[in-house]
């Protein structure tokens, strides 16, 4: 829910940084969908399209939860 909360703030610099960090982290982990969503969020922020940025932030939150669940299930099998 962090991305969605950041999209509501007047200073979007932190959201921009979080999107940039997510591109790297998700890319290293192989979560291509998250990379594309974070890139789209970066583009929306640069274009000052706040409606799109807020929608993308909500979508990223959902995708992050899915990724965490996937990783937890994967590593639970390895125990």
């Amino acid at each position: 829910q962090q991305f969605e909360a950041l999209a509501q703030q007047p200073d979007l610099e932190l959201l921009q940084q979080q999107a940039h960090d997510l591109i790297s982290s998700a890319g290293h982990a192989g979560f291509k969908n998250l990379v594309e969503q974070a890139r789209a969020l970066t583009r929306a922020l640069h274009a000052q399209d706040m409606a799109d940025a807020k929608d993308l932030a909500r979508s990223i939150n959902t995708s992050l939860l899915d990724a965490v669940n996937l990783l937890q299930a994967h590593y639970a099998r390895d125990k």
Side-chain angles (χ1 to χ4, degrees), residues 23-68:
I23 291 167
S24 296
S25 299
H28 288 309
F31 292 106
K32 294 177 185 177
N33 183 44
L34 273 172
V35 171
E36 291 307 314
Q37 289 176 315
R39 284 183 178 149
L41 176 56
T42 299
R43 288 190 299 271
L45 290 169
H46 282 293
Q48 298 180 350
D49 183 348
M50 292 314 301
D52 197 26
K54 288 177 183 180
D55 288 343
L56 286 161
R58 277 190 292 278
S59 179
I60 287 171
N61 282 335
T62 300
S63 295
L64 281 170
L65 289 174
D66 291 344
V68 167

Side-chain angles (χ1 to χ4, degrees), residues 3-10 12 15 50 54 58:
F3 277 86
E4 192 170 357
L6 289 173
Q8 304 301 322
Q9 301 299 315
L12 298 173
L15 179 59
M50 292 314 301
K54 288 177 183 180
R58 277 190 292 278

Side-chain angles (χ1 to χ4, degrees), residues 3 14-28 38:
F3 277 86
L14 183 56
L15 179 59
Q16 180 70 39
Q17 183 60 48
Q18 291 292 318
H20 176 77
D21 292 348
L22 182 59
I23 291 167
S24 296
S25 299
H28 288 309

